[in-house]
DNA sequence: CTGATTAAGGTGTCTTTGAAATTG
DNA sequence: ACAATTTCTTTGACACCTTAATCA
């Protein structure tokens, strides 16, 4: 029995035929090809002709089934994983946000401020005090003075505070984050509170993050409004991020230890001083030269595993994930300051290098002294609309509002003048971000659209062109309208207004057997494919169903009532959403209609989900009373049944015991 | 050589009113 | 015997996206 099935397996590979009829022919021919042993041949000869068919058919079926179930299991697993990824990302983001929030509190510590002040040379302290309307009435001049003072402060800090290469927060891919921590991992510098910070301040030594924290604290100590800016490095939720990490990942599966080392190379490579980092045997050492590698060496080396994706970036190219924004009162602007690299007011330098896998700019949050925060990602991400927002959950343009709701927890409940100014800056940035320069940049762009990228159920209306891209018209995303067929509008309780023409015609879709047949009939008659009209929301109105007259509920062709949304309940009617009410209503001779609240799918059939009934208002009480009574009755019945059962069991037990006793007494 | 195109394969969305067997 | 209820199983077509290879 084993032989035919194994042969069948092989022949299936040879000629992926799955039809039982073909097997009769395929099986012998594949024997010849395989050149099997005589034993198997004799077996085949011994077996009567029909036997292979009898065996193969069920196996073929079960195999196909197995394939299907496997595919389904894969899909389910993928879905589950996707959920895990997304939730992990969200949770991680919130954790990092709170971590930053707490650190932002720490750096308000008055003792820390005093300590830092005591370490700061007087001339630098004084340079801030000198900026005042009294001494310098011209705001432009004051702004310049302020910037110069911040520059001096940053330079002084940069020269004196020693930054060690590890210990700061880095971005990890999902798989990396799942992995157990390794001994040689980049361990984060532990900070337990303002006291830990103070120790670092005294020692003039700490991680990048510590440097930024202390610098922000110092600014606040000096009376300069300063924000702690944090670029949250949460695990990416998208699978593609993992894949593009390529060889690192695939190697890790076989050799987790090597992975740890490989990662160490990545992290160490950030600080080019750490040129003595470890290397795995397989990975080619990335040149530690100062020149940055833009392209990959994929062309020269075909083998996947041999292509390392480590890029050595100079210290100057490694952007921090924490920095400071100081507020220039004179020109009402926030100036970014990177104390680690001595960079003042050069926001473009804070966006990480695209090759820097340890720093992904997705959320940049600025915490102010009062603990409130604002999302300032737009200021730093060059292509904020084009690229950055796309890597937030909800994906693409369909934002699910999650991030907004998270930020609302830390947003100041009232607005300041400077908030308005900042928002204006954001709007200006959005407009001047400019059109993307590539086709891919236009795809899912929040501001611009090309006609080729709109969906089947979308239309550009009005067609107001705002530019051209390689001969194609560019439109504003706000002019894209989502459309639905009249049936689909009905599913959300809306009806197409009379006299409105569809904005677009698309091929009608048929998924159920019933509907497909109907469409085919129509096609055979007219000789052309049936089309379906799509309408915009503005072309529709709220559907008002016919009211209840004399207690009679309006019904559809199936004898039910459509109640996809509450607004579809007719005037004078009530929805009683309890199971079993239909039976009671019928017994009471009340006119009713079962409420269809949705659909469920089974075997290509849409099946309505019935949720209770709709009856006239005047019958509600009667029906409900009867319903609760029936529920009560059912409970009572159940209780009686239970008691009876209990009594029965007790009786049985006692009888048993009595018999046992008698037996013991007698013998 | 970058970025567009394309092909292939995977993923996501939309679809939208049974039949058979068993029980009371 | 008949009606009511439970169980059965979990689609399929196609748009759209991603990825890798190829092309300009």
């Amino acid at each position: 029995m084993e032989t035919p099935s194994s042969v069948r397996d092989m022949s299936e590979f040879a000629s992926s035929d799955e039809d039982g009829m073909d097997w009769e022919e395929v099986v012998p021919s594949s024997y010849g090809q395989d050149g099997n042993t005589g034993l198997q041949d004799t077996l085949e000869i011994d077996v009567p002709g029909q036997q292979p068919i009898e065996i193969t058919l069920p196996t073929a079926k079960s195999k196909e089934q197995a394939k299907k179930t496997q595919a389904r299991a894969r899909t389910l697993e993928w879905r589950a994983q996707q959920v895990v990824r997304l939730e992990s990302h969200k949770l991680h983001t919130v954790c990092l946000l709170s971590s930053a929030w707490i650190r932002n509190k720490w750096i308000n510590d008055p003792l820390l401020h005093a300590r830092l002040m005591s370490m700061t040379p007087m001339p630098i302290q004084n340079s801030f005090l000198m900026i005042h309307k009294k001494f310098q009435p011209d705001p432009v001049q004051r702004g310049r003075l302020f910037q110069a003072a911040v520059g001096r402060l940053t330079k002084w800090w940069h020269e004196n505070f020693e930054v060690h290469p590890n210990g700061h927060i880095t971005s990890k891919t999902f798989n990396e984050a799942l992995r157990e921590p390794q001994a040689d991992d980049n361990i984060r510098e532990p900070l337990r509170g303002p006291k830990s910070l103070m120790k670092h301040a005294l020692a003039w030594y700490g991680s990048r993050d510590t440097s930024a924290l202390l610098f922000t604290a110092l600014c606040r100590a000096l009376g300069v409004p300063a924000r702690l800016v944090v670029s949250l490095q949460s695990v990416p939720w998208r699978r593609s991020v993992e894949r593009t990490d390529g060889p690192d990942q695939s190697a890790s599966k076989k050799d987790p230890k090597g992975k740890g080392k490989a990662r160490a190379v990545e992290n160490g490579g950030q600080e080019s001083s750490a040129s003595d980092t470890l290397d795995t045997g397989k990975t080619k050492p990335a040149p530690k030269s100062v020149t940055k590698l833009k392209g990959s060496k994929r062309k020269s080396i075909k083998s996947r595993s041999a292509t390392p994706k480590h890029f050595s970036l100079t210290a100057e190219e490694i952007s921090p994930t924490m920095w400071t924004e100081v507020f220039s009162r004179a020109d009402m602007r926030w100036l970014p300051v990177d104390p680690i690299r001595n960079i003042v007011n050069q926001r473009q330098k804070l966006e990480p290098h695209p090759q820097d896998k340890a720093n992904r700019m997705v959320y940049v949050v600025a915490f102010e002294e009062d603990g409130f925060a604002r999302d300032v990602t737009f200021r730093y991400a060059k292509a904020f609309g084009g690229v950055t927002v796309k890597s937030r959950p909800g994906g693409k343009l369909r934002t699910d509002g999650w991030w907004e709701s998270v930020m609302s927890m830390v947003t100041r409940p009232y607005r300041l003048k400077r908030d308005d100014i900042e928002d204006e800056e954001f709007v200006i940035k959005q407009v001047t971000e400019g059109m993307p320069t590539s086709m891919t940049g236009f795809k899912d762009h929040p501001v611009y659209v090309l006609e080729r990228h709109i969906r089947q159920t979308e239309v550009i209306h009005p067609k107001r062109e705002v530019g051209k891209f390689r001969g194609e018209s560019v439109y504003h995303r706000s002019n894209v309208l989502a459309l639905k067929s009249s049936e689909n509008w009905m599913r959300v309780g809306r009806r197409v207004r009379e006299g409105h023409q569809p904005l677009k015609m698309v091929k009608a879709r048929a998924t159920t057997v019933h509907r497909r047949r109907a469409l085919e009939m129509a096609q055979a008659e007219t000789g052309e494919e049936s089309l379906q009209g799509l309408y915009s929301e503005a072309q529709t109105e709220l559907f008002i169903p016919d009211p209840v007259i004399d207690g009679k509920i309006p019904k559809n062709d199936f004898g039910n009532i459509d109640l996809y949304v509450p607004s579809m309940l007719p005037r004078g009617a009530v929805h009683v959403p309890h199971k079993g009410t239909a039976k009671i209503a019928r017994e009471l001779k009340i006119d009713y209609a079962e409420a269809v609240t949705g659909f469920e799918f089974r075997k290509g059939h849409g099946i309505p989900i019935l949720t209770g009934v709709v009856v006239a208002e005047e019958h509600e009480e009667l029906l409900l009373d009867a319903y609760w009574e029936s529920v009560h009755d059912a409970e009572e019945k159940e209780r009686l049944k239970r008691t009876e059962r209990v009594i029965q069991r007790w009786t049985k037990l006692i009888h048993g015991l009595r018999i046992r006793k008698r037996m013991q007494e007698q013998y």
Side-chain angles (χ1 to χ4, degrees):
Chain A
M1 289 309 249
E2 243 180 275
T3 313
S5 83
S6 71
V7 167
R8 196 200 56 77
D9 283 349
M10 280 187 270
S11 56
E12 191 180 79
F13 283 122
S15 71
S16 63
D17 274 326
E18 288 173 288
D19 207 306
M21 286 290 277
D22 290 336
W23 283 120
E24 260 183 313
E25 292 169 3
V26 171
V27 169
S29 75
S30 74
Y31 263 77
Q33 284 164 15
D34 294 335
N36 274 326
T37 57
L39 181 69
Q40 282 166 328
D41 276 335
T42 46
L43 258 174
E44 173 62 18
I45 291 156
D46 287 348
V47 175
Q50 297 93 326
Q51 190 121 19
I53 305 168
E54 280 178 14
I55 299 159
T56 50
L57 266 177
T59 15
K61 201 179 165 192
S62 74
K63 201 169 182 194
E64 203 176 308
Q65 265 179 354
K67 233 190 215 165
K68 258 188 184 169
T69 33
Q70 223 177 29
R72 232 185 69 226
R74 246 205 334 264
T75 315
L76 283 175
E77 201 198 305
W78 184 87
R79 290 239 165 96
Q81 221 186 55
Q82 197 74 345
V83 171
V84 171
R85 280 169 171 280
L86 198 60
E87 291 308 313
S88 305
H89 172 84
K90 289 181 174 180
L91 186 60
H92 194 193
T93 309
V94 173
C95 289
L96 289 168
L97 187 76
S98 7
S99 160
W101 186 83
I102 291 163
R103 278 161 173 69
N104 181 57
K105 287 273 174 215
W106 289 351
I107 59 173
N108 284 340
D109 187 72
L111 242 93
L112 178 65
H113 283 192
R115 177 111 277 160
L116 286 165
M117 283 288 268
S118 73
M119 292 156 65
T120 314
M122 276 318 273
I124 289 179
Q125 291 191 30
N126 288 337
S127 61
F128 283 98
L129 296 173
M130 294 305 288
I131 308 162
H132 199 273
K133 269 182 196 158
K134 258 190 280 180
F135 310 114
Q136 185 54 261
D138 181 16
V140 179
Q141 279 302 318
R142 271 208 316 277
R144 269 187 209 147
L145 279 175
F146 178 75
Q147 204 170 316
V150 171
R152 268 199 299 282
L153 178 71
T154 315
K155 185 160 180 280
W156 167 77
W157 183 266
H158 174 71
E159 280 164 0
N160 289 284
F161 192 89
E162 192 183 335
V163 175
H164 55 82
N166 295 319
H168 59 283
I169 298 181
T170 55
S171 183
K172 285 179 183 161
T173 67
F174 190 78
N175 285 341
E176 280 170 356
L178 281 182
R179 194 174 48 90
E180 289 290 316
Q182 305 281 312
D184 50 1
D185 263 359
N186 179 9
I187 305 292
R188 274 188 63 192
E189 185 173 79
L191 288 177
R192 291 195 184 80
K195 282 199 177 130
S196 311
L197 282 169
M198 238 180 281
K199 272 184 208 156
H200 281 287
L202 277 174
W204 289 103
Y205 184 75
S207 69
R208 299 172 142 249
D209 294 350
T210 309
S211 173
L213 283 166
L214 289 172
F215 183 80
T216 314
L218 175 59
C219 291
R220 287 181 186 170
L222 288 166
V224 178
R227 280 167 161 181
L228 176 68
V229 186
V230 184
S231 170
L232 305 178
Q233 300 296 314
S234 35
V235 284
W237 57 279
R238 274 208 229 212
R239 248 181 163 192
S240 52
V241 179
E242 204 85 36
R243 285 213 201 98
T244 52
D245 280 1
D248 214 1
Q249 187 205 351
S250 63
S252 74
K253 281 195 179 141
K254 291 170 214 152
D255 181 13
K257 216 180 158 196
K259 163 81 164 292
K261 287 178 181 178
R263 246 175 49 74
V265 174
E266 258 183 317
N267 291 328
Q270 287 168 14
E271 296 293 321
S272 50
S273 61
S275 55
D276 57 339
T277 40
L278 303 140
D279 249 324
T280 46
K282 257 191 176 179
T283 47
K284 207 180 154 189
K288 292 284 189 277
S289 63
V290 180
T291 54
K292 74 178 172 190
L293 293 172
K294 263 194 113 186
S296 72
K297 286 160 284 176
R298 205 178 302 161
K299 284 263 156 110
S300 57
I301 307 157
K302 280 270 158 69
S303 162
R304 229 170 75 93
S305 63
T307 315
K309 276 207 178 170
H310 304 140
F311 297 88
S312 66
L313 300 165
T314 63
E316 281 303 296
E317 277 174 325
I318 296 162
S319 309
T321 57
M322 270 196 201
W323 62 93
T324 308
E325 272 181 5
V326 292
F327 189 67
S328 171
R329 291 191 180 95
D331 32 30
M332 295 292 280
R333 272 191 317 141
W334 288 99
L335 308 177
V337 179
D338 173 7
I340 300 146
R341 296 178 296 166
N342 186 22
I343 292 170
V344 177
N345 198 16
Q346 284 181 276
R347 56 178 162 157
Q348 70 280 6
K349 291 219 173 153
L350 287 156
E351 183 163 23
H353 193 275
Q355 308 292 358
D356 191 349
K357 294 279 183 258
N359 187 353
R360 268 182 265 268
M361 187 177 268
V362 183
Y363 314 94
V364 182
V365 184
F367 291 87
E368 296 188 24
E369 208 161 342
D370 55 10
F372 294 116
R374 285 173 65 84
D375 179 359
V376 294
T377 318
F378 73 91
R379 181 172 291 141
Y380 301 100
K382 207 183 297 147
F384 175 69
V387 181
T388 311
V389 278
K390 290 178 193 171
S391 51
R392 291 183 175 181
K396 307 297 153 61
L397 299 159
R398 300 176 291 280
T399 170
D400 60 359
W402 163 80
W403 174 242
E404 287 71 20
S405 75
V406 169
M407 278 310 287
S408 72
M409 311 292 259
V410 287
T411 305
R412 192 182 286 111
Y414 51 93
R415 292 177 65 83
L416 301 175
K417 181 85 193 296
R418 60 190 193 201
D419 296 340
D420 292 332
I421 291 172
E422 197 165 38
D423 282 348
E424 258 170 56
E425 188 191 330
F426 180 31
V427 171
I428 290 165
K429 172 87 196 285
Q430 247 189 339
V431 177
T432 56
E433 189 176 309
M435 286 187 196
T437 50
S438 71
M439 201 56 100
T440 32
F442 270 103
K443 207 159 194 300
D444 302 315
H445 195 279
V447 182
Y448 303 107
V449 244
L450 297 177
E451 189 140 28
R452 71 200 293 175
H453 287 144
I454 63 163
R455 290 150 174 274
Q456 196 186 30
T457 57
E458 287 175 339
V459 77
I460 297 168
H461 184 84
K463 273 199 156 182
R464 198 157 41 78
E465 194 181 297
V466 292
K468 284 270 187 196
F469 177 73
R470 293 182 200 163
E472 282 183 53
S473 299
V474 180
Y475 303 95
H476 231 262
R477 170 88 41 199
S478 60
N479 291 347
V480 175
L481 289 177
L483 307 176
K484 278 187 204 295
S485 65
S486 53
E487 291 87 355
N488 279 347
W489 279 120
M490 191 47 105
R491 304 273 174 233
V492 292
R494 297 189 72 84
R495 182 168 55 183
V496 175
R497 278 181 222 269
E498 238 171 276
H500 277 265
Q501 293 306 305
L503 290 176
K504 197 175 184 179
M505 298 296 287
V506 294
K507 203 168 76 184
R509 296 181 65 175
T511 52
T512 57
V513 187
H514 187 78
R515 191 151 153 71
R516 186 158 53 235
R517 202 166 296 146
L519 284 173
E520 270 167 15
M521 292 267 284
Q523 192 180 340
E525 252 176 57
T526 58
E528 55 193 43
E529 264 182 320
S530 36
L531 295 174
Q532 191 175 32
L534 298 179
Y535 304 85
S536 72
E537 180 158 21
Q539 290 180 298
T540 64
E541 60 194 356
L542 201 66
F543 171 67
I544 311 284
D546 295 335
V548 175
I549 298 161
D550 301 330
K552 212 162 157 47
I553 311 293
K555 298 178 192 72
N556 64 15
D557 298 347
F558 302 97
N560 317 321
I561 182 162
D562 297 323
L563 199 69
Y564 309 116
V565 285
S567 69
M568 292 174 83
L569 188 70
R571 200 153 44 80
V574 284
H575 182 205
V576 184
H578 302 296
K579 208 182 164 188
T581 41
K583 194 175 164 186
I584 294 157
R586 191 168 45 238
E587 280 166 3
L588 291 170
K589 301 215 161 44
I590 296 172
D591 189 58
Y592 73 96
E594 290 191 272
V596 180
T597 50
F599 283 90
E600 197 179 325
F601 275 81
R602 282 180 209 156
K603 286 190 166 178
H605 290 289
I607 296 155
I609 297 166
L610 302 172
T611 318
V613 294
V614 171
V615 292
E617 261 169 357
E618 58 263 34
H619 296 142
E620 184 187 13
E621 211 171 320
L622 181 64
L623 179 66
L624 274 177
D625 284 350
Y627 173 70
W628 290 123
E629 201 178 317
S630 83
V631 169
H632 187 75
D633 279 358
E635 273 171 6
E636 189 70 11
K637 238 182 184 169
E638 179 63 23
R639 210 174 54 82
L640 278 175
K641 244 170 137 180
R642 264 175 66 116
T643 0
E644 207 168 294
R645 255 206 318 271
V646 168
I647 289 166
Q648 241 178 25
R649 282 174 189 164
W650 272 110
T651 325
K652 210 172 171 184
L653 177 67
I654 286 161
H655 278 176
L657 284 173
R658 282 173 65 180
I659 290 166
R660 186 166 166 264
K661 200 180 169 205
R662 214 173 56 217
M663 299 271 274
Q664 279 176 340
E665 279 171 2
Q666 282 187 359
Y667 303 102

